[in-house]
Structures are given as C-alpha cells and as structure tokens.
Amino acid sequence: MTDINQKLDPPPYKIKVVEPIKKTTRKERKRLLEEAGYNFFNIAAENIYIDLLTDSGTSAMSDYQWAGLMLGDESYAQCKNFFNLQSVVQDITGYKFVIPTHQGRSAENLICYALNLDDTKVTVSNQFFDTTRANIEISGAKAYDFVIPEAFQPSLIHNFKGNLNTGALEDYIQNEGDVSLIVVTVTNNAGGGQPVSLANIIEVSRIAKMNKIPFFLDAARFAENAYFIKLREKEYQNNSPKEIASMMFSNSDGCMVSAKKDGLVNIGGFIALNDEQIYRRIKERMTVIEGFPTYGGLAGRDLEAIARGLTEVIREDYLEYRHQQLEYLGKGLEKGGVPFIKPVGGHSINLDVKSFLPNIPQSEFPAWALTIALYEYYGIRAAELGSVAFARKQDDGKWIFPELEQVRLAIPRRVYSQEHLNYVIDSVLDLYKHRADITGMKIVYDPGVLRHFTARFSPLG
Ligand code: F0G
C-alpha cells in the first residue's frame, strides 16, 4: 500500500451526507468501454469508481450552503439572494457591478458582446480556456496565448508557471497593433492549474492601463491562485487569502467567473466590474439570452449557494487542506517516478504523457489511451488534454499536434478522502509499472468540431 507518512492533516470539515460509489469488475469495464466506443464521455457516471474528469460543478456543498437553498427567494426581479451575492462579491473583489450568469461560458459570451469584439479585434491571454477562446473566435476576433515559455517544460519547477509573458505582450502592442481585451486566467487551467503571481498581474495591469486595454481576470479558481501567492510570493505571506484575492481584483478592470470551481457550487457564475458602460451593454444582452440581470439564468437558491460558497472557499484552513491534498497526490506519484507537470497545480495533477508513454506517437493518441487504461484497470475517469482534444488539421491536410500531451486528474472539492487519493496513487503507480502494455488508439468516427466529446475509437494492437 501507499506510504502515507506524508503529511495530510484531517480535513477542516466532517461528513454529514454520503453518496455511494460502485466498484465494477475489469470484465464489466471492458464491455462498457467497447459499448462506449472507447470514449469515457459515453460511460454512465454510476459505473465510474473515482471520477477525476473535472473539478467543475463537482464540489460537495456545505450544510450552510444547503440551508441557504431553503432561503431561495424566487421572485423574478430583485430577489434577496441577488443582494446577498452582490455584497459577497463586492466584498471580495471590490468591484461595483455584479451580474450573475448561469455558468462561466455565458459570462465570456456577454463580455465579448459588450466589448464589441469582431473580426478586426485581437485579444491576448496567458492561456485562454477552451470556452473563452471559442466565444472570442465566434465573435470573429483573434485569441492569442502569451504564457511564459516555462509553462511548456513539464519537469521544470517554477513558482508561477501561469504568468503572462509581459515582454511578448508589449512587443505585440508596439509592433503588431491594438489589443482589445487582455484576460489573465487564474489559475491557468490549460497549463495544469499553474498560478499567476500578483507581480505579474500588476505588470499586466500597468501595460493595460498605459494602452487603455480592458483587463479582465478569468477568475474561476481565484481562491486557489490567491493561496499560491501567499505561499510563494514573500511580500504577501502575512496577508490572508481574501486580502490577496482583493489585490488581484483591484489590479484588473473586472472578472468573469465560473462559480462551478471556487464558488463551491454545482452550477452558476458571474461577472463583476467597475465600468458602467460595459455593465449597461452586458445588461442589454443579458435580458435576451440569460434572463433578468438579477438572476442570470439561475434560481434564487442557486445565487444563495454561490454567495455562501464564496465565503467558504476563501478561508485559509479550507485552502490549506485543498493544497495539501494535491501535494499529497503529487508526492505519492513522484515516489514511483510518474512524470507529471511540476509543480503540482491548484486543482489537478496533469500527467506528462510524452514521458509516460514515449513509444506511442501523438498520431496514435497516447493521452487518450492512458485515460482508457485508467478506466479499464482501475475504474478511474480522467480527462484527455492531448491530441484528441487539441490536434488541428491544417489547410494542406497535415496535422499539428499540441506541444504538451496531458492527462488531467482533476480533484473535486471536498469530495474525496485520503483513502480515495491512496487508491488513485496506487493505481497510477501500478499502471506506470505496466505502461509497456498500453497500446495506441485509432479514431473510427471523427465528428470534427470538439471531437473528444463524441468521437469513437478502437485500440491498436
Ligand atoms: N474558465 C476556466 C479557466 C475554466 O476552467 C472553465 C471551465 C471555464 C472558464 C468555463 O466555465 O464550465 O462554467 O462554463 N472548465 C471546466 C473544466 C469545464 O473541466 O476545466 P463553465
């Protein structure tokens, strides 16, 4: 069994409600995989033993949040839960205007509209999350990623691998032209949940102000980012995570947030900002696509759950335990020499598949093959962030493969115990020992756009 002498204090909460999970046999899972066309999105969740597909919308809510659901005011306009949410968001972010949305991607869509993005516009980020990029690209605008180059060196230890390359940003503005929006994603999900330093946010803010460019945070994981700043940026070691979060927000013009992550809820999101003109534009569009601006596509009770989740996520004892869980998982994998993106991220461990399975070429989807093996042998579901999700076909028919081939083990918040993590560690170590048995995959049905959700595969060899 896993050596559990590593430090993992008991969680700062106890269990009041449980949800049974089911073990299946390898034989059953082989059949389920075959029926699912070797696509883990097609496997019924009840047949997953440990689900690490995402940390989004998968949090366990507290008794305080569940109690808040009973206080849902379902009035169409100006319900009291909106005011509760507004005051919590104002308290943490310092922004004047707060607009709930049904999740993060609708917040992104509204921002693109409000900023009049079109095919003459360029936007820049450390790394856009897929849905943010998709929303920008359907508006016609370009979306460029300017993350620091260290982000692409999996084994390199760097405190803030999510930082935006501010030199490249300044060069771009000077030599190429206008930028209409800067988004800093905290933490950087696409790069393994790596944090962005406050120094970097402040420098981006300076550049944005000088060039009059709106600067927004994609703040889905703002609390995890704030905690990394506390741990790794000396100047802020005596500040509370909440104070640090406030500083992150006060150095940007606004934020778009999927509350499904650090909101500790199963659905919801919001936008917060200071600019009244942009706020008005958002409200115009809002009423057409999301609902009246005080409910944003959510029930009053959902707004209450977010308001309460935000007050819990920013607590230092919660963040310390959350961080320790990820560190514990990382140390366990490290002991067996499993290659993953270093250092450990805020919400996930991303396996470095080019090193894990060096003999499988990207054209045979090694990261996908790894997720299938994790399910077949151990009942664990993870997410592929590799050549199935990110390879692109050029006009000349040639495939361009992503620089990093990753499998993400995302840890839902307040859901799994140390025993579950031990099981994950033992499973991945065992798989790593038997990695020579893993073969590549072939796509037998390719839907084209966002193919990872619906493609079908067969194993090679
Ligand atoms: N921004 C970031 C950084 C995200 O990670 C996500 C979602 C979104 C925006 C979109 O938010 O799902 O509420 O519409 N990430 C999920 C994930 C899907 O699994 O990483 P949403």
Side-chain angles (χ1 to χ4, degrees):
M1 271 306 284
T2 311
D3 170 11
I4 52 171
N5 290 327
Q6 305 148 27
K7 186 167 152 39
L8 183 57
D9 291 337
Y13 42 81
K14 59 184 178 176
I15 297 163
K16 179 150 26 199
V17 176
V18 296
E19 178 182 344
I21 51 177
K22 187 176 85 182
K23 267 189 170 161
T24 48
T25 63
R26 180 168 169 218
K27 193 168 157 212
E28 284 166 332
R29 291 192 295 270
K30 277 180 95 153
R31 177 182 55 81
L32 290 165
L33 276 171
E34 211 171 305
E35 287 168 8
Y38 294 89
N39 188 327
F40 47 81
F41 281 106
N42 292 335
I43 292 184
E46 65 168 353
N47 292 319
I48 310 285
Y49 184 45
I50 308 276
D51 201 348
L52 308 183
L53 182 64
T54 180
D55 65 319
S56 177
T58 52
S59 299
M61 293 208 296
S62 67
D63 54 356
Y64 179 61
Q65 287 176 291
W66 280 104
L69 295 187
M70 287 305 292
L71 302 175
D73 167 3
E74 304 307 341
S75 311
Y76 187 87
Q78 314 292 350
C79 71
K80 71 177 178 218
N81 313 104
F82 166 74
F83 294 100
N84 293 346
L85 175 64
Q86 179 178 252
S87 87
V88 170
V89 173
Q90 285 171 337
D91 181 43
I92 295 174
T93 65
Y95 297 133
K96 221 157 123 195
F97 303 114
V98 178
I99 306 133
T101 61
H102 83 272
Q103 60 183 91
R105 63 199 74 184
S106 47
E108 295 154 10
N109 187 278
L110 289 160
I111 295 279
C112 291
Y113 170 83
L115 294 177
N116 299 310
L117 293 188
D118 61 29
D119 57 8
T120 64
K121 308 277 168 60
V122 166
T123 65
V124 169
S125 179
N126 51 343
Q127 246 180 314
F128 285 109
F129 180 68
D130 324 7
T131 55
T132 326
R133 168 176 294 282
N135 270 302
I136 290 168
E137 289 180 349
I138 55 169
S139 78
K142 297 263 183 307
Y144 295 137
D145 289 341
F146 283 179
V147 73
I148 54 169
E150 287 85 344
F152 297 103
Q153 298 172 49
S155 56
L156 180 88
I157 305 282
H158 183 292
N159 277 342
F160 293 102
K161 259 184 173 172
N163 279 355
L164 190 148
N165 184 341
T166 48
L169 173 63
E170 282 190 301
D171 279 356
Y172 184 90
I173 295 169
Q174 213 158 44
N175 303 320
E176 306 287 335
D178 291 344
V179 170
S180 298
L181 169 67
I182 301 173
V183 176
V184 168
T185 311
V186 292
T187 57
N188 180 21
N189 185 12
Q194 298 294 327
V196 178
S197 69
L198 197 47
N200 190 248
I201 292 173
I202 291 170
E203 177 61 6
V204 174
S205 168
R206 185 191 66 76
I207 299 169
K209 278 209 179 76
M210 209 168 70
N211 295 282
K212 298 193 171 51
I213 304 167
F215 167 30
F216 277 71
L217 294 181
D218 175 345
R221 299 178 180 85
F222 74 98
E224 287 166 8
N225 199 84
Y227 192 64
F228 275 119
I229 290 174
K230 183 176 173 64
L231 292 182
R232 298 183 183 169
E233 232 173 327
K234 269 211 193 77
E235 303 91 293
Y236 307 109
Q237 62 187 355
N238 296 321
N239 289 103
S240 68
K242 183 166 170 247
E243 286 166 346
I244 296 171
S246 297
M247 290 187 254
M248 288 162 47
F249 291 115
S250 69
N251 280 287
S252 40
D253 299 318
C255 62
M256 37 194 176
V257 175
S258 165
K260 299 173 72 173
K261 286 82 172 170
D262 276 351
L264 296 177
V265 290
N266 307 117
I267 193 72
F270 60 88
I271 298 170
L273 76 172
N274 282 331
D275 186 300
E276 188 156 7
Q277 220 176 330
I278 302 176
Y279 171 62
R280 287 228 178 98
R281 290 270 298 160
I282 291 170
K283 283 208 300 185
E284 278 164 25
R285 177 71 160 195
M286 184 82 199
T287 330
V288 182
I289 62 166
E290 287 275 289
F292 190 75
T294 58
Y295 76 80
L298 295 167
R301 57 179 173 270
D302 297 324
L303 303 176
E304 189 61 35
I306 302 172
R308 293 179 178 219
L310 290 171
T311 62
E312 293 178 351
V313 80
I314 202 67
R315 284 178 53 157
E316 192 158 341
D317 57 354
Y318 161 79
L319 286 167
E320 183 184 7
Y321 179 72
R322 169 85 174 148
H323 178 74
Q324 276 184 17
Q325 263 202 325
L326 271 292
E327 285 284 319
Y328 178 80
L329 183 54
K331 280 187 190 132
L333 297 183
E334 185 123 45
K335 278 194 176 164
V338 174
F340 59 88
I341 312 251
K342 308 269 169 47
V344 169
H347 66 289
S348 68
I349 296 232
N350 289 28
L351 302 176
D352 168 16
V353 183
K354 280 187 177 171
S355 303
F356 199 118
L357 297 173
N359 297 327
I360 303 182
Q362 283 183 288
S363 57
E364 293 179 8
F365 311 114
W368 196 271
L370 190 50
T371 59
I372 296 302
L374 272 173
Y375 180 68
E376 180 187 326
Y377 290 96
Y378 316 103
I380 297 171
R381 177 159 67 173
E384 193 253 18
L385 304 175
S387 296
V388 175
F390 299 132
R392 295 279 168 268
K393 202 176 188 171
Q394 290 187 145
D395 292 344
D396 63 5
K398 199 174 154 234
W399 282 95
I400 302 295
F401 293 103
E403 196 151 340
L404 292 181
E405 190 76 21
Q406 310 175 65
V407 165
R408 182 180 76 172
L409 307 172
I411 309 301
R413 295 170 182 78
R414 303 193 293 208
V415 170
Y416 290 121
S417 66
Q418 181 168 356
E419 290 93 329
H420 293 117
L421 295 186
N422 288 342
Y423 178 81
V424 173
I425 293 169
D426 288 344
S427 301
V428 179
L429 294 188
D430 189 56
L431 188 62
Y432 190 56
K433 260 190 230 147
H434 297 102
R435 61 191 180 278
D437 299 342
I438 301 175
T439 59
M441 311 286 299
K442 167 172 99 180
I443 296 193
V444 293
Y445 164 68
D446 188 340
V449 188
L450 294 176
R451 63 183 178 169
H452 48 289
F453 292 121
T454 51
R456 296 181 78 83
F457 300 79
S458 73
L460 290 166

